[in-house]
């Protein structure tokens, strides 16, 4: 079974630029999550999708972050404009049911200069 | 607000020794997850604990859950270098929810 795919793996941008990340979950997984992991901390949930609907985006900085999951499969997370404090690893995860564990992708390491 | 606290945050131990990582959480939960993260890598699911008294073992790692005490432990037996990693516990923000709150992580270093 293929795992969660993410791209790009690394991205370096300057502040105020925009950036987009892509995620393809495990086939058949209805739930998709985007996390932000700052160095030395645990992941923090940014947004959760159930199929193509948003379940929770309470911690998404909506003035600069946006995410979509068209057709209930892959998803993109965008930051516009980026700030220095957005430097982090952005992890995508998926799960297929309410009580199943989440499976994480390799992450995208973002550096904002 | 749910708080998930791990103890210790850093642990350096020698091969062959036993040790325990603790995960305390502040609100009622029926589930707890343990993940492992190697440097520069993503999170790998280790254990899913679904009920009070649940105990799961995989190799030299054993995890348990006490929902009444709001405590989970990850016990390492006869540690080997390959177990060096950061270990995270995670708890649903409310009972039955899918949204997880992660602990700060325990960075484990096992020296030969």
């Amino acid at each position: 079974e293929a795992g969660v795919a993410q791209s790009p793996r690394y991205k370096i941008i300057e502040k105020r630029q925009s950036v987009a990340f892509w995620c393809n979950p495990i086939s058949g997984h209805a739930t998709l999550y985007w996390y932000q992991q700052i160095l030395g901390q645990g992941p923090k949930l940014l947004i959760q999708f159930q199929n193509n609907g948003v379940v929770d985006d309470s911690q998404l900085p909506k003035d600069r972050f946006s995410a979509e999951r068209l057709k209930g499969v892959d998803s993109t997370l965008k930051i516009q404009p980026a700030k220095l404090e957005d430097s982090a690893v952005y992890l995508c995860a998926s799960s297929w049911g309410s009580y199943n564990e989440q499976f994480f992708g390799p992450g995208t390491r973002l550096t904002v200069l | 607000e749910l708080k998930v606290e791990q103890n210790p945050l850093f642990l350096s131990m020698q091969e062959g020794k036993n040790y325990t990582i603790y995960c305390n959480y502040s609100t009622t939960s029926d589930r707890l997850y343990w993940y492992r993260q190697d440097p520069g890598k993503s999170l790998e699911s280790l254990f899913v604990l679904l009920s009070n008294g649940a105990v799961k073992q995989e190799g030299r790692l054993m995890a348990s859950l006490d929902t009444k005490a709001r405590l989970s432990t990850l016990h390492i037996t006869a540690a080997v270098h390959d177990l060096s990693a950061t270990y995270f516990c995670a708890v649903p923000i409310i009972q039955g929810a899918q949204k997880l709150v992660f602990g700060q992580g325990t960075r484990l270093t096992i020296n030969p």
Side-chain angles (χ1 to χ4, degrees):
Chain A
E1 168 181 86
V4 177
Q6 289 188 247
S7 67
R9 294 294 311 279
Y10 304 91
K11 191 74 177 179
I12 301 173
I13 61 173
E14 297 196 344
K15 60 183 179 183
R16 291 188 289 274
Q17 286 187 322
S18 61
V19 63
F21 312 128
W22 174 83
C23 171
N24 185 253
I26 293 172
S27 178
H29 282 197
T31 311
L32 184 148
Y33 314 79
W34 282 102
Y35 287 88
Q36 180 192 60
Q37 186 178 23
I38 293 172
L39 186 66
Q41 299 181 18
K44 182 184 82 172
L45 181 70
L46 293 176
I47 189 167
Q48 175 186 340
F49 292 94
Q50 181 75 20
N51 296 308
N52 59 350
V54 175
V55 174
D56 187 321
D57 63 357
S58 57
Q59 297 192 86
L60 187 74
K62 298 180 186 64
D63 57 333
R64 298 184 301 105
F65 286 64
S66 64
E68 61 181 9
R69 190 183 184 196
L70 300 176
K71 301 180 182 178
V73 181
D74 52 358
S75 175
T76 56
L77 176 70
K78 297 179 182 178
I79 307 174
Q80 181 179 9
K83 292 185 175 181
L84 296 177
E85 58 260 36
D86 298 333
S87 294
V89 175
Y90 291 84
L91 296 164
C92 179
S94 69
S95 67
W96 69 265
S98 296
Y99 292 93
N100 287 55
E101 70 260 47
Q102 299 175 21
F103 295 89
F104 284 80
T108 297
R109 183 176 299 274
L110 174 67
T111 302
V112 182
L113 302 175
Chain B
E1 180 189 345
L2 171 62
K3 294 189 188 303
V4 181
E5 296 184 341
Q6 292 183 230
N7 176 43
L9 298 182
F10 298 93
L11 177 57
S12 181
M13 54 193 290
Q14 291 201 316
E15 281 191 326
K17 301 290 187 183
N18 303 333
Y19 210 80
T20 301
I21 299 170
Y22 298 89
C23 174
N24 289 91
Y25 52 97
S26 60
T27 62
T28 302
S29 178
D30 57 348
R31 290 173 285 145
L32 189 138
Y33 302 82
W34 282 98
Y35 287 88
R36 167 182 172 149
Q37 187 175 38
D38 291 295
K41 305 286 188 180
S42 191
L43 280 78
E44 173 192 353
S45 178
L46 291 175
F47 300 109
V48 181
L49 302 170
L50 293 176
S51 61
N52 186 41
V55 176
K56 290 198 173 180
Q57 185 164 3
E58 180 74 32
R60 300 173 187 273
L61 299 178
M62 184 174 69
S64 65
L65 177 62
D66 182 343
T67 58
K68 294 178 182 176
R70 299 177 186 171
L71 170 69
S72 179
T73 60
L74 181 66
H75 187 72
I76 303 147
T77 302
V80 292
H81 179 69
D82 286 352
L83 291 177
S84 296
T86 299
Y87 293 85
F88 292 95
C89 61
V91 177
I93 193 164
I94 58 172
Q95 201 149 317
Q98 294 172 277
K99 178 177 179 178
L100 298 180
V101 175
F102 282 78
Q104 317 97 302
T106 296
R107 184 177 296 180
L108 174 63
T109 302
I110 299 169
N111 304 303

